[in-house]
């Protein structure tokens, strides 16, 4: 400042002197209120860090944009590791992948850890995971995925969200099994929380669907009469017998014309747990034959005089025991299935072929009309489209969650069948090893194969009495049950058969077997294969070359209401176009009449579908 313009020294001292902090009397002076700062500013008159970042990201002039973090999947990391193993230069990998040099060197330094992690991951999770996760968690999710696929076989990867609680419980059970089987492996805490479950659904490419979706296996809405807080299916189980009775009366079906089909698992090479053969096999490595399971589908009518030929689903298409045999001549319908289950494709083929022919022959032999009412549960292996495959077989599906209460085959029939199978198997074992020059028990049991099991289960099905089959309908069609005392008689029969099995086991040489062991064996047939055992089984099937073309993957066609309506409308429009442009009125009229006559089955089917859809909208319960 020029000297002429400078203020006097006294004035400068007053202007530059800070305000006094005390009054003349020595008391402290209150500082003046500070001017309000804009929201988000720090105490030093600068924007807060969050605000500065926001301003920079908003494109402030001269501000450096914030660099977003880029997630790298396991698949991308493996690609980088592969490039390094092929001796590519870091600069070339940078150009090909777009990753920074430090990122590439970090991936290369952790190559072994990444590879170890990917051995437990699945292709789906490897494509979606951006960080390495504990190996035990990855292995558990892989086993859980195999278990889910086994539970939803035939549903094209559809998983009901209503099963989330059972899925989370299964995840905890698998995790505990892994802790016991791999004690030296790192075991981070795991509680199957809702957050983990949400991530699991994102990592695995299933078609997750709500349990209340109309038309789904668990669809149909709330069952009438269930009430709030009622157990699932109890209300529908109380109402459905009346509905079925009306259908039977309207259709004029006799007890010979009403059938039921159901399937259940059977461990075909299993003995009571306390036998020395079972103890030896339990300590053997690899997949144990006692865990080798088939699914047996049985069917019969209310009268009990028509037992359908059993269907056996086995995991191998060509087991060595069946080499050289014509499967059509077996006492069962043998069907290969990778997981040993009756899938939708298997059931559709069986329904339109062997079942239809067998029912027609039975009606001809009994001199009754070929008019059948078939009752099925809503299992994944029973697709709804089978209701359209036959004009002579009307299919009625049980309401959801009622199979254990209403399914006739579940009312003791399968239990009696399994006891007969065990008695036949022990009897065969005793006859084959009795006397000199015969093979030992261990030698015979080693040679016991799936062909022997098929023969025995066919004989066991013939042992089931018609009264037992008729008594299974007591909860569904009680008016057609001949003797309600059959339940007590069935319990007496089971006790007698168990005692016979214990006697046969002791004659064979299993002196330690008691009645409780037989009861435990019969109950074990309902348990599922663990995910670890399922993977071992599939690995052995692949090693043996038995995983040939499987009907599990064959999609079955379904003529839906929308497809049928659109197709008929397009045909109608095409006929109108031909009729408008054809100058020969007689020819066009004749063709239109003939085409509409040929389309009559489709038009009637569309009317039935529209009627069923209207009934579903009004009642909220699917019975057709």
């Amino acid at each position: 400042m020029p000297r002429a313009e400078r203020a006097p020294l006294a004035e400068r001292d007053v202007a530059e002197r800070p305000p006094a902090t005390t009054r003349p009397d020595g008391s402290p002076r209150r500082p003046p209120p500070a001017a309000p700062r804009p929201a988000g500013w720090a105490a030093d008159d600068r924007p807060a860090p969050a605000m500065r970042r926001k301003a920079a990201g908003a494109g402030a002039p001269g501000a450096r944009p914030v660099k977003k973090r880029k997630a790298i999947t396991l698949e991308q990391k493996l690609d980088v590791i592969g490039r390094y193993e092929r001796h590519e230069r870091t600069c070339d990998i940078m150009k090909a992948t777009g990753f920074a040099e430090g990122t590439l060197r970090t991936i290369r330094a952790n190559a072994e850890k990444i590879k170890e992690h990917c051995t437990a991951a699945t292709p789906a999770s490897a494509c979606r995971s951006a960080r390495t996760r504990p190996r035990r968690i990855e292995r558990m999710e892989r086993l859980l995925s195999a278990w889910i696929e086994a539970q939803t076989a035939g549903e094209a990867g559809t998983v009901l969200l209503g099963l989330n609680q059972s899925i989370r419980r299964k995840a905890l059970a698998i995790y505990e099994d892994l802790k016991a089987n791999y004690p030296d492996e790192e075991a981070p805490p795991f509680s199957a929380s809702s957050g983990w479950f949400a991530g699991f659904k994102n990592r695995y490419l299933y078609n997750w669907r709500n349990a209340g979706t109309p038309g789904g296996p668990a669809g149909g809405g709330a069952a009438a009469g269930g009430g709030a807080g009622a157990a699932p299916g109890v209300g529908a189980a109380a109402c459905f017998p009346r509905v079925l009775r009306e259908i039977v009366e309207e259709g004029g079906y006799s007890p010979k014309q009403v059938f039921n089909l159901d399937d259940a698992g059977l461990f075909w090479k299993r003995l009571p747990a306390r036998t020395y053969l079972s103890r030896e096999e339990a300590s053997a490595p690899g997949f144990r034959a006692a865990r080798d399971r088939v699914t047996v589908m049985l069917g019969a009518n209310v009268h009990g005089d028509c037992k359908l030929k059993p269907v056996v689903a086995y995991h191998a298409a060509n087991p060595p025991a069946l080499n050289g045999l014509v499967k059509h001549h077996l006492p069962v319908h043998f069907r290969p299935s990778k997981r040993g289950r009756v899938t939708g494709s298997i059931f559709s083929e069986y329904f339109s072929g062997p079942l239809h022919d067998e029912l027609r022959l039975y009606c001809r032999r009994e001199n009754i009309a070929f008019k059948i009412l078939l009752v099925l549960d809503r299992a994944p292996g029973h697709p709804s489209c089978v209701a359209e495959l036959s004009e002579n077989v009307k299919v009625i599906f049980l309401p959801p969650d009622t199979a254990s209460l209403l399914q006739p085959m579940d009312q003791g029939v399968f239990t009696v069948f399994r006891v007969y199978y065990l008695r036949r198997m022990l009897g065969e074992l005793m006859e084959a090893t009795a006397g000199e020059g015969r093979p030992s028990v261990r030698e015979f049991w080693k040679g016991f194969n799936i062909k022997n099991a098929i023969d025995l289960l066919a004989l066991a099905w013939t042992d089931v009495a018609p009264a037992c089959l008729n008594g299974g309908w007591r909860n569904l069609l009680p008016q057609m049950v001949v003797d309600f005392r059959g339940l007590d008689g069935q319990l007496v029969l089971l006790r007698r058969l168990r005692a016979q099995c214990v006697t046969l086991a002791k004659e064979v040489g299993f002196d330690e077997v008691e009645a409780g062991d037989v009861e435990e064996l019969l109950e074990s047939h309902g348990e599922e294969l663990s995910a670890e055992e399922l993977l071992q089984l599939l690995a052995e099937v692949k090693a043996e070359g038995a995983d040939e073309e499987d009907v599990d993957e064959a999609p079955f066609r379904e003529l839906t209401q929308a497809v049928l309506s659109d197709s008929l409308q397009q045909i109608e429009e095409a006929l109108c176009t031909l009729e408008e442009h054809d100058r020969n009125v007689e020819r066009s009229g004749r063709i239109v009449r003939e085409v509409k006559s040929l389309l009559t089955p489709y038009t009637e089917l569309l009317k039935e579908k529209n009627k069923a859809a209207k009934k579903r909208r009004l009642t909220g319960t699917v019975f057709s």
Side-chain angles (χ1 to χ4, degrees):
M1 177 181 296
R3 182 180 301 272
E5 297 178 2
R6 292 179 63 88
L9 180 60
E11 295 180 4
R12 292 204 313 268
D13 293 341
V14 172
E16 297 177 359
R17 185 182 304 146
T21 58
T22 59
R23 292 188 176 93
D25 58 357
S27 61
R29 185 188 301 274
R30 179 179 300 175
R37 295 183 176 87
W41 284 64
D44 57 353
D45 292 342
R46 291 183 303 167
M51 190 172 179
R52 290 198 298 269
R53 289 194 299 268
K54 183 175 181 181
R64 185 173 60 183
V66 178
K67 187 177 181 180
K68 295 183 179 180
R69 182 177 179 179
K70 184 178 181 181
I72 304 176
T73 65
L74 296 178
E75 190 177 31
Q76 292 173 317
K77 293 178 182 179
L78 288 176
D79 178 59
V80 171
I81 295 172
R83 291 177 180 271
Y84 273 117
E85 291 177 348
R86 293 191 295 270
H87 306 289
E88 295 186 19
R89 297 183 304 174
T90 301
C91 59
D92 296 333
I93 301 177
M94 291 174 59
K95 294 178 181 179
T97 61
F99 298 150
E101 180 180 359
T103 301
L104 297 178
R105 297 189 184 278
T106 302
I107 294 175
R108 184 174 62 177
N110 296 277
E112 295 300 326
K113 184 178 179 181
I114 294 173
K115 289 181 180 180
E116 181 182 0
H117 171 74
C118 289
T119 57
T122 63
S125 62
C127 294
R128 301 167 73 93
S129 297
R131 60 185 178 89
T132 57
R133 303 167 63 241
R135 186 177 183 182
R136 180 167 293 180
I137 299 291
E138 284 283 359
R139 184 183 285 113
M140 179 274 298
E141 291 185 355
R142 183 167 176 244
L143 298 178
L144 181 64
S145 174
W147 177 80
I148 292 175
E149 291 178 3
Q151 298 300 310
T152 59
E155 281 295 289
T158 299
V159 181
L160 300 181
L161 288 177
L163 301 177
N164 58 353
Q165 293 299 329
S166 60
I167 292 175
R168 290 163 68 176
R169 285 194 297 268
K170 187 65 176 179
L172 283 173
I174 295 176
Y175 193 76
E176 294 300 322
D177 291 342
L178 291 177
K179 287 176 64 177
N181 295 333
Y182 302 94
D184 299 333
E185 196 174 69
E186 179 187 1
F190 175 72
S191 60
S193 63
S194 57
W196 165 83
F197 185 62
F200 175 76
K201 291 188 294 183
N202 291 330
R203 285 188 290 274
Y204 287 81
L205 306 178
Y206 291 114
N207 178 22
W208 298 90
R209 184 177 67 192
N210 288 323
T213 302
V234 173
C239 299
F240 186 74
R242 182 178 67 253
V243 176
L244 183 60
R245 180 175 181 174
E246 294 175 357
I247 294 175
V248 171
E249 292 176 352
E250 291 177 2
Y253 296 100
S254 68
K256 291 179 176 288
Q257 295 170 311
V258 182
F259 283 76
N260 173 238
L261 275 171
D262 192 22
D263 55 79
L266 177 71
F267 293 105
W268 60 271
K269 197 173 182 179
R270 174 173 290 189
L271 290 171
R274 290 205 294 176
T275 61
Y276 62 85
L277 291 179
S278 297
R279 290 196 298 267
E280 290 175 359
E281 191 173 12
S283 60
F287 185 78
R288 296 180 284 275
R291 300 293 294 172
D292 200 359
R293 173 175 172 159
V294 297
T295 298
V296 182
M297 184 164 62
L298 303 177
N301 60 357
V302 179
H303 194 270
D305 65 333
C306 181
K307 298 177 186 176
L308 301 174
K309 188 176 180 180
V311 178
V312 173
Y314 191 53
H315 60 81
N318 295 299
L322 300 183
N323 285 343
L325 299 179
V326 180
K327 295 183 177 64
H328 179 72
H329 294 156
L330 293 174
V332 300
H333 297 293
F334 183 84
R335 296 292 184 270
S337 173
K338 286 184 179 179
R339 296 177 182 86
R341 291 177 175 270
V342 176
T343 63
S345 298
I346 291 176
F347 189 84
S348 299
E349 178 270 332
Y350 166 72
F351 180 91
S352 58
L355 176 63
H356 197 270
D357 297 339
E358 197 170 349
L359 292 175
R360 182 173 61 249
L361 291 176
Y362 168 74
C363 293
R364 184 184 302 171
R365 184 174 66 249
E366 296 294 322
N367 197 21
I368 58 178
F370 184 25
K371 182 179 62 175
I372 301 297
L373 180 65
L374 179 61
V375 180
L376 299 174
D377 60 6
R378 291 188 173 273
H382 300 159
S384 58
C385 65
V386 298
E388 306 167 2
L389 299 181
S390 175
E391 298 179 356
N392 303 99
V393 182
K394 181 179 179 63
V395 179
I396 298 294
F397 287 98
L398 295 174
D401 303 319
T402 61
S404 60
L405 303 174
L406 300 178
Q407 181 85 272
M409 290 295 167
D410 287 343
Q411 310 308 313
V413 177
F414 267 112
T415 303
V416 173
F417 165 73
R418 287 165 176 161
V419 178
Y420 277 123
Y421 176 79
L422 178 61
R423 191 183 71 168
R424 288 275 184 179
M425 185 170 58
L426 291 173
E428 184 77 10
L429 183 60
M430 184 188 67
E431 293 179 5
T433 58
E436 297 182 0
R438 298 293 186 91
S440 65
V441 173
R442 188 177 283 104
E443 291 173 347
F444 174 82
W445 192 244
K446 184 178 180 180
F448 189 81
N449 54 43
I450 186 63
K451 172 61 170 59
N452 306 128
I454 287 175
D455 294 336
L456 293 183
L457 68 86
L459 293 174
W461 180 228
T462 61
D463 292 337
V464 180
C468 177
L469 299 173
N470 179 253
W473 294 83
R474 57 184 175 273
N475 295 338
L476 193 57
L477 288 175
Q479 69 275 11
M480 290 188 175
V481 176
V482 178
D483 187 4
F484 278 91
R485 294 176 301 176
L487 178 60
D488 296 332
Q490 182 175 321
L491 296 176
V492 174
L493 173 64
L494 286 175
R495 285 195 294 267
R496 179 167 57 85
L497 291 175
R498 293 192 192 106
Q500 293 176 0
C501 291
V502 173
T503 301
L504 289 172
K506 292 183 180 299
E507 292 180 1
V508 170
F510 305 140
D511 298 330
E512 60 275 17
V513 175
E514 302 294 341
D517 300 320
V518 175
E519 180 68 23
E520 180 183 359
L521 172 60
L522 296 176
E523 292 178 355
S524 69
H525 287 289
E527 69 185 26
E528 295 287 341
L529 286 177
S530 68
E532 190 79 35
E533 291 166 335
L534 180 61
L535 292 177
Q536 290 178 359
L537 174 62
L538 296 180
E540 289 193 6
V541 171
K542 186 175 182 179
E544 295 173 0
D547 57 341
E548 300 173 359
E549 184 178 357
D550 199 328
V551 293
D552 282 0
E553 307 300 331
F556 49 86
R557 296 177 292 181
E558 182 177 0
L559 190 60
T560 63
Q561 181 182 2
V563 171
L564 190 58
S565 178
D566 293 343
S567 301
L568 291 178
Q569 185 176 359
Q570 293 175 7
I571 294 175
E572 180 69 23
E573 293 175 356
L575 291 176
C576 291
T577 302
L578 292 175
E579 195 173 14
E580 290 176 0
H581 293 81
D582 192 355
R583 301 176 64 178
N584 191 333
V585 179
E586 181 182 357
R587 177 178 58 190
S588 61
R590 184 180 69 256
I591 292 177
V592 168
R593 288 192 299 271
E594 292 177 356
V595 172
K596 288 186 175 181
S597 177
L598 293 174
L599 292 175
T600 300
Y602 284 129
T603 56
E604 295 296 328
L605 180 59
L606 180 60
K607 290 180 182 178
E608 294 179 2
K609 286 181 174 291
N610 292 335
K611 184 178 179 181
K614 183 178 180 180
K615 183 178 180 180
R616 286 196 298 269
R617 289 193 298 269
L618 293 176
T619 63
T621 304
V622 180
F623 287 138
S624 58

